[in-house]
């Protein structure tokens, strides 16, 4: 049977930690290559190596039909004009979809269809749910001034594949323009 402390898990929005599960932390230096403005990235890194996001996960059981979930907290900030973001990934099991539930703060999900390259920017905020289809690279961005807290629920066999995004990044970047988030094509290098 599934352990009792995997049946009921408490969290707070302040720590955004699921029970006592370990937090995986991503700092600025871990995001090398993700941001469009490399000079701004290096300049920010010379000032320090802040925590950008952390995720704690609950994995009650593996196998057909089972679910895993993770609670993420992404800090507000920008590198150049580009909002703080997560690395982003495809699921190793490509058909695996995911549900994101916004719990606090204001942000968005950048979705990119692996087959067509079509990009979409979908708001992620309190009282909203985002469906991430299978075969879709997904990245979370914080477009607000407060921490963005969200829950991601996914099939236990989804897995993470970071390699395609590490190699090609996303085709679009989410930047602030006139105080508002905007999706623009990434400039070719
Ligand atoms: C799991 C999922 C989220 C992310 C989290 C951190 O499938 O999509 O729990 O893992 O938002 O982002 P990454 O994993 O891209 O660093
Ligand atoms: Zn995912």
């Amino acid at each position: 049977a599934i352990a009792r402390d995997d049946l009921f898990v408490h969290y707070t929005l302040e720590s955004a930690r699921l029970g006592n599960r370990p937090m995986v932390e991503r700092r600025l230096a871990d995001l090398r290559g993700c941001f469009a403005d490399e000079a701004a990235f290096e300049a920010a890194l010379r000032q320090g190596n802040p925590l950008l996001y952390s995720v704690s996960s609950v994995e009650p059981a593996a196998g057909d039909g089972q679910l895993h979930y993770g609670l993420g907290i992404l800090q507000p900030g920008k590198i150049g004009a580009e909002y703080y973001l997560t690395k982003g990934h495809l699921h190793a099991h490509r058909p695996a979809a995911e549900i994101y539930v916004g719990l606090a703060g204001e942000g968005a999900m950048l979705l990119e269809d692996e087959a067509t390259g079509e990009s979409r920017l979908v708001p992620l905020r309190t009282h909203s749910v985002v469906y991430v289809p299978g075969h879709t690279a997904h990245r979370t961005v914080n477009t607000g001034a407060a921490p963005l807290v969200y829950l991601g629920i996914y099939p236990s066999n989804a897995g993470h594949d970071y390699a395609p995004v590490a190699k090609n990044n996303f085709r679009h970047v989410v930047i602030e323009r006139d105080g508002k988030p905007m999706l623009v094509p990434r400039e070719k290098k």
Side-chain angles (χ1 to χ4, degrees), residues 70-83:
L71 187 65
I73 179 165
L74 173 58
Q75 298 302 321
K78 277 180 295 171
I79 296 297
E82 190 176 16
Y83 296 105

Side-chain angles (χ1 to χ4, degrees), residues 109-128:
M109 306 269 326
L110 176 55
L111 305 180
E112 187 178 296
D113 185 294
E114 187 181 27
T116 65
E118 189 200 351
S119 304
R120 302 211 261 180
L121 189 65
V122 183
L124 176 66
R125 58 171 84 101
T126 316
H127 300 151
S128 71

Side-chain angles (χ1 to χ4, degrees), residues 150-180:
Y150 57 90
L151 198 58
I153 307 162
Y154 45 95
S156 64
N157 67 348
H160 290 85
D161 184 1
Y162 290 101
V165 170
K167 184 162 179 270
N168 303 315
N169 214 329
F170 284 73
R171 295 186 186 194
H172 289 76
V173 295
V174 187
I175 59 161
E176 182 183 80
R177 192 167 287 169
D178 302 325
K180 287 193 304 248

Side-chain angles (χ1 to χ4, degrees), residues 89 91 98 100 138:
H89 60 270
H91 292 147
E98 183 163 0
Y100 273 72
H138 45 290

Side-chain angles (χ1 to χ4, degrees), residues 1 5 8 35-37 40 45 47 49 64 67 75 82 85 89 91 100 121 139 141 147-148 158 160 173-175 177:
D5 70 346
F8 176 86
F35 291 97
D37 188 338
L45 205 49
Q47 301 299 308
N49 187 21
D64 199 22
L67 298 173
Q75 298 302 321
E82 190 176 16
L85 44 71
H89 60 270
H91 292 147
Y100 273 72
L121 189 65
R139 162 175 282 170
V141 299
L148 176 68
H160 290 85
V173 295
V174 187
I175 59 161
R177 192 167 287 169

